[in-house]
Amino acid sequence: MSRTIDVPAARLPVLDEVDVLVVGAGPAGVSAALAAARMGARTLLIEQFNCLGGIATAGGHGHIVLYSSWGTSERVVGGIIWEMAERVTKVGYGVHNNSSTDFEIEGMKLVLERMAGECNCRLLYHAFFLDTLVEDGQAIGAVVAVKDGRCAILAKRIVDCTGDGDVAARAGCGFDYGDEETGLCQPMTLMFMIGGVDWERVQAFRREVGDNNLESVWKKAQADGFMRPFQTRIMGWWWTPTRPDWVGVNFTHILKVSALKAGDLTQATLEGRRQAYETIAVYRKYVPGMENCYMLSTPNTVGIRESRRIHGEYRLTKGDLMAEKEFEDSVGYGSFFIDIHNTTGPGMDRKTHYPPKGFKYQIPYRILVPKGVENLLVAGRCASTDHEALGSLRVMPQCGIMGQAAGAASVLSLKAGVPPRGVDVKALQGVLREQACIVDAADIRKANA
């Protein structure tokens, strides 16, 4: 992109003016926007695709985990992300327990839109974020591209839930990218859904082989020349009894691509879809119960595990997680293992770590507060962490926790007339508890009583 062209300066129409603008409608964005709207703020949630839910819906990942401490049924996550599990189950589109929820993707889309409508959270789909409007060190709005053309949305507070930290980066915030040693990010995955599966026979085969990941099966398929060596283990088969012959597949593995480049995202999608169809052929040939499986759908977007991590007032580290560190500004808990997919080949990375039973750690509010710019918060996998801590923090329940905290803090800061970094943390924690979040050990005991 060395060639440039001058474009006449544009006077952009102001599409809307709001109290809280949330950019990106994944689990973090949905939680942020609903939290703000339920507190009475004029809230707008913008999204580049045509649904709420992010990776859970547009990304085809119909499984949310982990709500409980590692290896137990002790629930440590509440709030809006937990409400999603309860409500999708209540209307018959999924099932859940204290650890996870599995659901029909189309049903989850409908549930989330109902939740937004109930609290007058305004939505704008097909809206692509372009730039952050900053005046005197304060974020005041965003430039977006919609079908109507480029326009501006002005906001008193902005929550960056893009995953890639696009809003914060465009505002001038610093960030880290990828593994500190190599600069490489975790691989991408294109989820896909298959039908025609006899799930009981599949499960019986896994028990017979003695390995849920079926590593010996994929090894044989590759030795037979029937499968390219892009993967060595199952990363996830998501099944719900509401659609008993459907299985969501987390298996494709796309290396050395950047979430920040459209060309890379295109190539990742093309390669992911090739791998998906190759996978179906392998399943038909090698897995009893999948002889008649077929493609139902591939999602709108490839799944991205890692890109920018915005520099915040605190940087959560692997050491913090391993020590199960507690924070005075806790907004909730994480409990997932340090899940790092191999950045240079198939399977899991050597830095993956499986913690002891009962593992959990607190998430500090300060990782949501970017340095250098006011009136802006970040939530989700672009929060302030190191590469290894992100391996745990990036999963959907934790993204929801961060989003809800950011949405509530945005409104509290407006009411108090202070920037988000000046919010009274005790007041924030009180509001989160009112919203059924789990902030500390006493809340855990209450939720599991």
Side-chain angles (χ1 to χ4, degrees):
M1 297 179 63
S2 58
R3 187 181 177 189
T4 62
I5 186 171
D6 291 330
V7 177
R11 176 167 292 179
L12 300 180
V14 175
L15 182 66
D16 209 341
E17 298 185 47
V18 297
D19 296 324
V20 179
L21 171 64
V22 180
V23 185
V30 167
S31 298
L34 295 187
R38 288 173 177 180
M39 293 173 69
R42 180 177 170 84
T43 304
L44 176 63
L45 174 57
I46 67 171
E47 165 59 37
Q48 63 179 325
F49 299 121
N50 69 345
C51 61
L52 303 179
I55 189 64
T57 53
H61 197 293
H63 173 78
I64 299 177
V65 69
L66 190 63
Y67 293 105
S68 60
S69 60
W70 181 256
T72 80
S73 61
E74 173 194 58
R75 185 164 64 88
V76 299
V77 172
I80 290 166
I81 193 73
W82 173 247
E83 183 183 340
M84 288 165 54
E86 292 183 310
R87 293 187 58 157
V88 80
T89 300
K90 183 177 181 180
V91 295
Y93 291 125
V95 295
H96 78 281
N97 55 35
N98 267 16
S99 294
S100 65
T101 182
D102 292 275
F103 52 88
E104 298 175 38
I105 288 164
E106 294 302 320
M108 181 62 86
K109 293 177 184 178
L110 181 62
V111 166
L112 295 179
E113 288 176 344
R114 285 175 176 171
M115 290 170 69
E118 289 165 5
C119 61
N120 296 316
C121 176
R122 297 165 59 244
L123 308 176
L124 182 63
Y125 293 150
H126 310 290
F128 289 80
F129 169 83
L130 296 177
D131 206 354
T132 310
L133 300 172
V134 180
E135 286 186 358
D136 300 322
Q138 301 181 61
I140 64 165
V143 178
V144 299
V146 293
K147 188 69 173 178
D148 322 49
R150 286 187 299 162
C151 58
I153 299 171
L154 302 182
K156 298 173 184 175
R157 299 289 183 269
I158 305 176
V159 185
D160 182 348
C161 298
T162 61
D164 298 319
D166 291 332
V167 181
R170 290 289 187 181
C173 298
F175 60 88
D176 297 317
Y177 181 89
D179 188 322
E180 288 86 355
E181 296 176 7
T182 66
L184 295 174
C185 287
Q186 290 201 48
M188 297 183 190
T189 290
L190 187 76
M191 292 289 300
F192 59 99
M193 182 73 69
I194 58 176
V197 176
D198 185 334
W199 186 242
E200 290 187 5
R201 287 182 61 216
V202 172
Q203 292 294 78
F205 178 64
R206 294 169 92 174
R207 291 191 293 270
E208 177 186 329
V209 172
D211 176 15
N212 271 344
N213 295 318
L214 300 180
E215 293 188 31
S216 62
V217 174
W218 321 130
K219 184 177 181 180
K220 176 171 173 49
Q222 291 168 29
D224 292 346
F226 204 76
M227 175 182 173
R228 287 187 293 147
F230 61 82
Q231 189 55 283
T232 57
R233 55 175 289 163
I234 297 165
M235 296 301 177
W237 278 345
W238 314 136
W239 178 84
T240 171
T242 64
R243 292 291 176 187
D245 66 331
W246 292 12
V247 174
V249 180
N250 182 348
F251 193 74
T252 68
H253 193 87
I254 306 144
L255 296 167
K256 298 181 181 179
V257 282
S258 171
L260 310 182
K261 298 178 180 179
D264 278 24
L265 290 170
T266 300
Q267 291 306 312
T269 302
L270 295 172
E271 173 60 17
R273 193 167 284 119
R274 282 192 292 268
Q275 290 183 13
Y277 276 93
E278 291 171 22
T279 295
I280 288 175
V282 172
Y283 287 179
R284 288 171 176 166
K285 183 175 177 67
Y286 291 91
V287 182
M290 288 187 169
E291 299 92 342
N292 300 311
C293 73
Y294 56 90
M295 179 69 78
L296 279 171
S297 64
T298 57
N300 289 355
T301 182
V302 66
I304 300 164
R305 294 184 173 91
E306 181 180 17
S307 57
R308 296 188 188 99
R309 304 188 307 278
I310 300 301
H311 293 167
E313 291 297 319
Y314 185 85
R315 184 173 184 253
L316 192 69
T317 67
K318 176 187 176 182
D320 293 332
L321 272 59
M322 300 297 288
E324 300 188 37
K325 189 170 181 178
E326 296 183 350
F327 296 93
E328 289 187 359
D329 61 338
S330 167
V331 294
Y333 284 90
S335 59
F336 205 60
F337 75 105
I338 296 178
D339 178 9
I340 302 178
H341 296 235
N342 194 345
T343 59
T344 59
M348 300 301 290
D349 194 270
R350 61 181 175 82
K351 294 183 178 180
T352 295
H353 173 75
Y354 293 93
K357 185 176 180 180
F359 170 73
K360 58 183 177 294
Y361 56 90
Q362 289 185 330
I363 301 168
Y365 172 65
R366 286 166 292 164
I367 71 171
L368 313 180
V369 184
K371 291 182 177 179
V373 178
E374 301 292 359
N375 300 340
L376 173 65
L377 292 168
V378 301
R381 61 177 171 82
C382 58
S384 181
T385 73
D386 67 16
H387 169 74
E388 291 179 77
L390 183 69
S392 173
L393 193 70
R394 65 181 174 80
V395 297
M396 286 187 266
Q398 280 63 62
C399 289
I401 289 168
M402 290 183 278
Q404 188 160 359
S410 295
V411 180
L412 283 180
S413 73
L414 285 172
K415 290 180 177 179
V418 298
R421 76 182 71 252
V423 163
D424 181 332
V425 171
K426 296 300 182 186
L428 173 60
Q429 292 169 334
V431 167
L432 292 175
R433 289 189 181 97
E434 290 172 2
Q435 296 178 359
C437 295
I438 295 174
V439 174
D440 62 16
D443 298 332
I444 293 175
R445 289 191 294 271
K446 182 177 179 181
N448 290 275

